[in-house]
Amino acid sequence: MMVLFAALNTGTTVIVARSTGAGNLTDANRAAGQALLLGTALSIVVVSLTFTYAEFMLRLMGASLEVIQYGLPYSKLIFFSIGFSSISSALSAILRGAGDTRTPMKINIMSGGISLILGIVLIYGYMDLPKMGVAGAAIATMTAQITAMICLISVMFSGRFAVRIAWEDINRFDKGMIRRMLKIGIPSSLEQLIMRLGIMTFVKICAGLGTVALAATQIVTSIIGMSFMPGVAFAIAATTLVGQTLGVEKPELAERYVWQVRKYGMIVAGVMGAVFIVMAPHILRLYTNDNSIIHEGAWALRIVGFIQVSQVSQFILGGALRGAGDTRYPMFSALIGVWGVRVVLSFLFVYGFAWGTIGLWSAVASDQFLRSMLIYWRFKRGAWKKVTV
């Protein structure tokens, strides 16, 4: 569901970054206001549908009656909280586009702390409160997201930052601005959809290998999620720097920024990859004591270690292309890499060659290497310097 908001967030970040770099705060503020207005309207629609059809969606995903018993109250609260988290993500995208990554970080740290502490209290029934279980976890999550949204709204309306939101920016829909935002953002939204559907297919193939392989894959996927963080951070930096420097019509400076960011990102990724390769079994033991899962997962994690450098390069250069407004090419590269390589090779390696988990993750590596080369080629050509937003 959150993929629906990716178009809005990417388009907002790019336009705010370009406008801020060019010193056109009127456009930046207008984009910020429209992001809040459109995000709120979209949230109401999504929340209404997901809240109403929560049980149907759980059944569609194959939930048993027991899962529905616990999952329905939880899912309804989580679906309701989408309205708050989506608005927060839109406002965070505005601040990042303006070059302010610290304010969203501080608010998210606070939000995470609230979720953790309140979750423990409500799940287990501490401080004389009733033991609420999974419903308590959902209430804690929603409370944290409401708090984050209120903080971000107050920041944006305070006027203490370069980009701000005023009543005149949200009192009506600006079709021209929304068209500009969606033109940039829709390909990014489709890219995320392609990725997530491909990952779901990948997990389904993995499930056919049995419980051990699936458990190992889920653990390795969690570890990969942590390894994404430096790449995503450097990609955000590349997006903002490219957007702002293109805003002042300095494409060569934008390119130098990106190569520098990529260098630092690849150093971090190289160190992380080496740790994964050397320490794979020890890292997996932090998650499980099952030797069969550790054995399966260690090979997968070592393969992941080898792709860290190409993965972070793809993240950063892809972020740079998005910052320039060139969002279609990353979408096409995701379609080719995820569906043309990862899914196809997963079927071939697992069912054709019977390579098991090694085959599964070799397909992932092949996808990452190909996408890294495609994105590198696109950035190197320099066509992104001439994209208008």
Side-chain angles (χ1 to χ4, degrees):
M1 291 300 160
M2 295 305 295
V3 167
L4 296 172
F5 299 93
L8 177 63
N9 296 344
T10 302
T12 303
T13 298
V14 173
I15 290 176
V16 168
R18 282 280 190 108
S19 302
T20 304
N24 185 357
L25 293 182
T26 301
D27 256 15
N29 293 338
R30 192 66 178 163
Q34 290 300 296
L36 177 58
L37 184 61
L38 190 59
T40 302
L42 184 58
S43 296
I44 291 170
V45 174
V46 171
V47 168
S48 299
L49 290 173
T50 53
F51 191 85
T52 303
Y53 295 103
E55 184 173 351
F56 169 75
M57 287 189 287
L58 289 176
R59 291 184 186 279
L60 191 65
M61 293 299 291
S64 65
L65 290 175
E66 185 181 8
V67 170
I68 291 172
Q69 178 188 348
Y70 287 100
L72 189 56
Y74 176 84
S75 63
K76 283 193 171 185
L77 288 169
I78 290 298
F79 288 146
F80 188 70
S81 72
I82 288 175
F84 310 115
S85 60
S86 59
I87 292 171
S88 295
S89 64
L91 296 176
S92 296
I94 294 164
L95 291 169
R96 293 188 184 105
D100 181 4
T101 55
R102 292 187 178 186
T103 301
M105 178 195 72
K106 291 174 183 176
I107 291 173
N108 283 328
I109 288 173
M110 177 197 67
S111 173
I114 291 171
S115 180
L116 177 63
I117 295 168
L118 188 60
I120 291 171
V121 171
L122 295 180
I123 290 167
Y124 299 108
Y126 294 133
M127 299 176 66
D128 296 327
L129 291 171
K131 186 177 180 179
M132 301 180 70
V134 291
I139 291 170
T141 300
M142 187 168 65
T143 303
Q145 290 172 346
I146 291 172
T147 306
M149 183 192 71
I150 292 171
C151 290
L152 284 162
I153 288 175
S154 64
V155 163
M156 293 307 304
F157 277 92
S158 68
R160 292 185 290 111
F161 296 83
V163 178
R164 59 185 292 273
I165 295 175
W167 170 249
E168 57 266 25
D169 298 318
I170 60 171
N171 60 0
R172 64 180 177 84
F173 287 107
D174 184 333
K175 293 181 180 178
M177 179 60 73
I178 291 173
R179 194 179 297 113
R180 286 174 63 193
M181 292 162 64
L182 295 182
K183 179 185 174 184
I184 299 165
I186 285 176
S188 285
S189 184
L190 293 174
E191 178 191 353
Q192 290 298 313
L193 184 62
I194 289 165
M195 286 287 298
R196 298 197 191 288
L197 290 175
I199 290 168
M200 285 175 65
T201 306
F202 172 79
V203 172
K204 190 172 181 63
I205 295 169
C206 175
L209 293 173
T211 306
V212 170
L214 184 59
T217 294
Q218 293 294 345
I219 292 172
V220 172
T221 301
S222 297
I223 297 168
I224 289 177
M226 294 176 65
S227 78
F228 282 174
M229 292 178 187
V232 170
F234 284 115
I236 290 171
T239 299
T240 302
L241 288 167
V242 167
Q244 292 189 348
T245 46
L246 288 180
V248 291
E249 299 181 357
K250 293 183 178 179
E252 302 310 318
L253 177 61
E255 186 171 9
R256 290 203 300 273
Y257 272 140
V258 173
W259 291 128
Q260 196 73 2
V261 170
R262 180 175 178 263
K263 181 179 76 173
Y264 292 135
M266 291 174 74
I267 291 170
V268 173
V271 172
M272 190 174 295
V275 171
F276 285 173
I277 293 167
V278 175
M279 302 293 291
H282 304 288
I283 295 172
L284 286 159
R285 284 195 182 95
L286 297 173
Y287 291 82
T288 180
N289 293 319
D290 189 314
N291 287 326
S292 57
I293 294 176
I294 291 170
H295 177 74
E296 288 278 339
W299 283 108
L301 193 55
R302 288 185 179 114
I303 292 171
V304 168
F306 280 109
I307 65 174
Q308 286 300 299
V309 172
S310 60
Q311 175 181 278
V312 83
S313 174
Q314 180 227 130
F315 277 10
I316 293 167
L317 297 182
L321 291 177
R322 293 183 194 96
D326 184 1
T327 52
R328 291 187 180 183
Y329 193 84
M331 178 192 71
F332 290 132
S333 71
L335 181 63
I336 294 167
V338 174
W339 284 95
V341 175
R342 182 184 298 202
V343 172
V344 171
L345 290 186
S346 293
F347 273 107
L348 179 64
F349 292 164
V350 171
Y351 297 118
F353 297 164
W355 287 358
T357 306
I358 293 176
L360 204 66
W361 287 94
S362 295
V364 173
S366 301
D367 162 32
Q368 289 286 3
F369 282 129
L370 176 64
R371 275 194 286 156
S372 178
M373 289 188 289
L374 289 173
I375 295 290
Y376 177 87
W377 174 80
R378 178 69 171 185
F379 183 81
K380 191 73 175 174
R381 283 189 63 195
W384 54 272
K385 298 176 184 177
K386 300 174 183 177
V387 175
T388 59
V389 299

